[in-house]
Amino acid sequence: MATTDLSALPTNARGERLITHLRHVDLAVPDYDKQLRFYTEMWGLSPQATDEGIAFLAAEGSPEQYSVRLRKADEKRLDLISFGAATTDDVDAMAQRLATAGVQLVAEPDKLQTPGEGYGFRFFDNDGRTVEISSDVAVRQHRRIEEGESIPVKLSHVVINSPDPEATVAFYDKHLSFALSDTLRSPHMGEVMWFMRTNPAHHSLAIARCPHVSLHHASFEMRGIDEYMRGSGRLMRAGVEKIWGPGRHMAGNNTFTYFLDPHGNTIEYTTELEELDEDSWHPHLYDFSDPEVTDQWGTANPMNEFVAKQSFNDPDRGLFVAPPV
C-alpha cells in the first residue's frame, strides 16, 4: 500500500498544520483620513502606530499587533492577508514547499519591518493576491473586553472573491492545508461559497464565487450577543450603511451584521463562531435558497441580488504587484 510523503504536506514533524491562525487584513484606500476615522471612531479599533499615509489598527481584545493595516493609495485594493505560524522553522518549511511547488514568492523569509517585527515571507496565491505567513511576532499588550463594550475583540475571518473558486479552494487545501468545513450551494447557481479552517474555528477564510478577484468581507468578533447587538445598533443609529442582518448563519452558526466602510468594503460584526471537533466533523452542503440556511433567526433582510452584489466589491487590479511593507 502506498504511503503519504509527509515532507510534501504543509504540516510540521508532529503532523500539525504549519498555519495556526489569521493575523490581519491590509487595505489600500484613496481617502485614507476618512477611512482611518471610520475604523477608529466608529468601528472600534485602536491605532497602534501611524506614519504618513499608513496606520496599524488593533482590536483591543487581541494579542495581535494589529488587525487592520490601512495604506493611502491612488486605487482601492486588498493589499494583503496575513496568517500566523508557530515557529521560524515552520515559516521556512512553508516557504520552501511553496517555492518547490512553483508558487511565486514575493519575498523570502526574513525579519519583518512591521509592528512587533517577527519572521515571515509573502507569496501570491493562484488569484494573484498577496498572502503573508509569519511567526515570532511580539504579543501586544491587550485586555479583556468588558460587558457591554461594543468594540471588536479580534479579527474573526476574511472572505475573498474568486472567478475560479474551485481552483482557489484547491490551492489553499493543497499548499496551505486549509480544511473544508462547509459549502453553500443553490439549485440555480451551484456551489458558491466554501468555508475553510486552519484550527478548530469553523472558518478563518472563506472563498466565494464572483466575476472578479476582490475582498468579499472582513469579519470582527464581538464579546457576546449583547455586545454584538449593541455594536450593530450603534452603527445603524450613526447612519452607517447596513447591507444585511442582524441574523445568524447556519454554516458556522455565527451571528452577522454586514456594513459598508467608506470605500465600499463589506465588513461584519459577528460572534459565537462555531468551534469544531475536527476528528469527527464532516462538511455539510447547505442549500442557501433555504432561508434558514442564510439566517436561522429570520430577523435579517432577505438575501437577494442587492446584498450579493454589494459583497462583489470593486475588482482588485494591478495583481502580482507586491504592496509596500
Side-chain angles (χ1 to χ4, degrees):
M1 183 174 63
T3 58
T4 300
D5 179 9
L6 294 178
S7 67
L9 297 177
T11 55
N12 60 24
R14 298 182 299 278
E16 300 166 331
R17 297 185 185 100
L18 294 182
I19 293 180
T20 55
H21 66 291
L22 176 65
R23 286 199 188 278
H24 54 85
V25 58
D26 298 5
L27 305 174
V29 293
D31 194 338
Y32 167 82
D33 293 333
K34 186 175 184 179
Q35 193 85 334
L36 179 59
R37 286 195 302 271
F38 174 83
Y39 276 97
T40 54
E41 298 174 10
M42 187 61 63
W43 197 250
L45 301 179
S46 301
Q48 295 304 294
T50 58
D51 203 343
E52 188 66 28
I54 194 164
F56 301 89
L57 310 179
E60 280 292 300
S62 172
E64 294 296 330
Q65 288 288 326
Y66 56 101
S67 296
V68 174
R69 188 194 74 174
L70 297 180
R71 179 176 67 89
K72 183 176 177 60
D74 292 336
E75 188 173 52
K76 165 189 166 185
R77 61 170 287 168
L78 171 63
D79 267 347
L80 178 144
I81 303 172
S82 177
F83 295 97
T87 68
T88 58
D89 286 345
D90 289 351
V91 170
D92 286 336
M94 178 69 74
Q96 181 180 355
R97 289 166 185 169
L98 288 171
T100 300
V103 175
Q104 184 180 352
L105 300 190
V106 178
E108 299 283 345
D110 201 351
K111 181 178 179 180
L112 300 179
Q113 303 301 314
T114 43
E117 297 184 336
Y119 181 78
F121 73 101
R122 295 175 179 179
F123 62 92
F124 294 122
D125 73 6
N126 63 300
D127 284 325
R129 65 180 60 81
T130 306
V131 180
E132 179 183 88
I133 309 294
S134 63
S135 71
D136 296 321
V137 177
V139 173
R140 187 184 70 88
Q141 185 174 356
H142 56 291
R143 65 178 179 84
R144 175 184 174 86
I145 303 301
E146 299 298 332
E147 184 176 351
E149 281 193 280
S150 60
I151 61 174
V153 175
K154 65 177 183 178
L155 179 65
S156 171
H157 57 269
V158 174
V159 181
I160 53 178
N161 287 321
S162 173
D164 188 358
E166 290 85 358
T168 305
V169 170
F171 179 94
Y172 281 87
D173 174 16
K174 175 182 177 181
H175 296 298
L176 305 176
S177 199
F178 276 79
L180 179 67
S181 294
D182 287 317
T183 304
L184 297 184
R185 69 173 304 278
S186 80
H188 306 294
M189 301 173 61
E191 296 181 354
V192 295
M193 184 173 287
W194 294 256
F195 299 90
M196 306 189 78
R197 68 186 188 276
T198 190
N199 58 47
H202 182 271
H203 60 284
S204 59
L205 178 72
I207 298 161
R209 188 180 302 281
C210 181
H212 52 255
V213 176
S214 60
L215 173 67
H216 186 285
H217 75 266
S219 179
F220 296 79
E221 177 79 19
M222 307 298 274
R223 182 182 188 271
I225 290 289
D226 185 66
E227 292 74 21
Y228 153 76
M229 290 298 293
R230 285 173 182 264
S232 299
R234 175 171 52 79
L235 267 67
M236 286 188 282
R237 282 176 174 169
V240 177
E241 185 174 357
K242 178 179 71 71
I243 300 303
W244 194 27
R248 184 186 285 277
H249 295 310
M250 186 167 288
N253 198 37
N254 55 306
T255 62
F256 66 91
T257 312
Y258 297 90
F259 297 91
L260 291 183
D261 75 12
H263 280 82
N265 295 304
T266 300
I267 47 178
E268 177 189 34
Y269 277 161
T270 190
T271 196
E272 297 186 347
L273 182 68
E274 190 171 6
E275 293 282 320
L276 307 183
D277 178 353
E278 294 196 84
D279 291 333
S280 62
W281 184 259
H282 295 284
H284 302 83
L285 183 61
Y286 289 118
D287 181 354
F288 80 91
S289 65
D290 178 352
E292 290 194 6
V293 169
T294 53
D295 178 21
Q296 298 182 65
W297 289 345
T299 53
N301 47 308
M303 163 53 79
N304 56 27
E305 185 176 342
F306 169 77
V307 173
K309 186 171 290 187
Q310 292 297 318
S311 294
F312 281 177
N313 212 334
D314 302 315
D316 272 337
R317 293 187 290 182
L319 299 177
F320 296 106
V321 177
V325 173

